[in-house]
Amino acid sequence: MHYKDEYKDYARYQCSACGYERFKSDGVVQSSDYEDDTDYLDDIAVYPNVDDRILWHHNQALSFMESTAPKDAEVLDIGCFDGFFVRKMRDHGIDAYGVDFNRRAIADGAQRFSLGDRLSNKSAADLLAEGRRFDVVTMFEVIEHLDDFTQVISDCIALLKPGGHFIISAPNNDMSWRPPLDFPPHHLSRFTPRSLEKLAAGHGLKPLKTMEQSSLFDLTRHYVGLKFRKEEAESMRGGEFKNRGIVDPLRKFVTRSKWLAYGALKPVDAVLHMMGFRYIGQLMIAQNTKS
């Protein structure tokens, strides 16, 4: 890792071999910063339905689990927020559970999605102490928020049964355009597919598959969405939205139209992918080969 430059109060360091980047600062991001943030509260208020929140990486993971995991597989979603993907997996007949430090989101999701004690504020270390083990452990869009993720990743992997799978997603540092949400304090690390594979191998897993998203639709909606945010207002993703009476229904419409847009733009995205275009996600699947 070598020093790259500065961003506000953060120093940026980069690994020239794998493309991983890390931001360091004397400040500490607290869990309350997320619990009370307007963008995360919006996810609950503006997008109450499960399918409103399902993204590219969720579908990729779900397809893999349905085709590869045992029929009676137990799945744990680390950093599940309000459990929307746990609900999605349950609807597909998967024995799924979720944990997250966000007490407000867990309480809301347990009731909203009828998940009860399938959701909790326990940590991976807590579950290890209880002797729990899972066939699949997922971690979507979590690792980039953590100041020090080494122990968390170790605990997640320790929760895997022999032959179990670890599925992790993070924004792709090779993305073709970088939105404000991919900067501190919202994101403290940036990963490439190479760095995720290196992370898995360094923890004794065998990387099986890495996928990169190419979505012109997501880039467009994120870029246009910036025009509707208050530049002077703070939020973890780039400023609170203005004109909520108009903007919120528009956001719902765009979000619920995304799968039609993905389908219509699929040939364009495929060509752009071959030309090196990447936006915004990536997913890696690795296996615990220990017996």
Side-chain angles (χ1 to χ4, degrees), residues 18 20-21 30 37 67 103 147 152 171 180 208 214 216 221 264 274:
C18 69
Y20 167 71
E21 294 182 355
Q30 305 288 342
D37 183 71
S67 64
R103 292 163 295 180
D147 181 52
V152 175
L208 299 180
S214 297
L216 183 61
R221 70 169 178 155
M274 290 188 292

Side-chain angles (χ1 to χ4, degrees), residues 5 13 15 21 32 35 44 57 85 91 109 137 140 143 154 172 177 197 206 211-212 242 251 256 290:
D5 54 27
Y13 295 84
C15 173
E21 294 182 355
S32 59
E35 288 183 327
I44 295 174
H57 49 265
F85 187 59
D91 292 342
V137 173
F140 302 116
I143 191 172
S154 295
N172 191 345
W177 173 73
E197 291 173 354
K206 178 183 179 182
M211 292 168 275
E212 297 177 274
K242 53 190 176 183
R251 292 166 65 198
R256 292 172 182 175
K290 297 177 182 177

Side-chain angles (χ1 to χ4, degrees), residues 75-80 85-86 89 97-100 137-140:
V75 179
L76 175 67
D77 188 18
I78 300 281
C80 69
F85 187 59
V86 176
M89 289 189 284
Y97 302 83
V99 294
D100 198 291
V137 173
T138 62
M139 180 183 277
F140 302 116

Side-chain angles (χ1 to χ4, degrees), residues 94-155:
I94 298 173
D95 189 11
Y97 302 83
V99 294
D100 198 291
F101 67 76
N102 192 323
R103 292 163 295 180
R104 183 181 300 189
I106 288 292
D108 184 88
Q111 181 176 6
R112 183 194 301 266
F113 301 132
S114 303
L115 291 169
D117 58 7
R118 287 183 176 274
L119 302 183
S120 78
N121 296 120
K122 294 178 181 178
S123 67
D126 293 334
L127 295 175
L128 278 174
E130 294 175 2
R132 298 295 303 274
R133 296 296 184 273
F134 298 88
D135 298 280
V136 179
V137 173
T138 62
M139 180 183 277
F140 302 116
E141 314 299 292
V142 172
I143 191 172
E144 67 273 14
H145 299 276
L146 304 178
D147 181 52
D148 185 0
F149 51 78
T150 303
Q151 188 59 52
V152 175
I153 295 295
S154 295
D155 290 343

Side-chain angles (χ1 to χ4, degrees), residues 206-245:
K206 178 183 179 182
L208 299 180
K209 189 175 185 180
T210 302
M211 292 168 275
E212 297 177 274
Q213 184 187 21
S214 297
S215 174
L216 183 61
F217 172 76
D218 281 339
L219 187 151
T220 302
R221 70 169 178 155
H222 288 165
Y223 181 80
V224 173
L226 292 177
K227 309 301 180 183
F228 294 92
R229 289 183 180 267
K230 300 175 184 177
E231 294 182 4
E232 72 280 3
E234 292 292 330
S235 77
M236 296 296 279
R237 298 177 190 164
E240 297 177 36
F241 282 99
K242 53 190 176 183
N243 302 321
R244 300 297 298 266

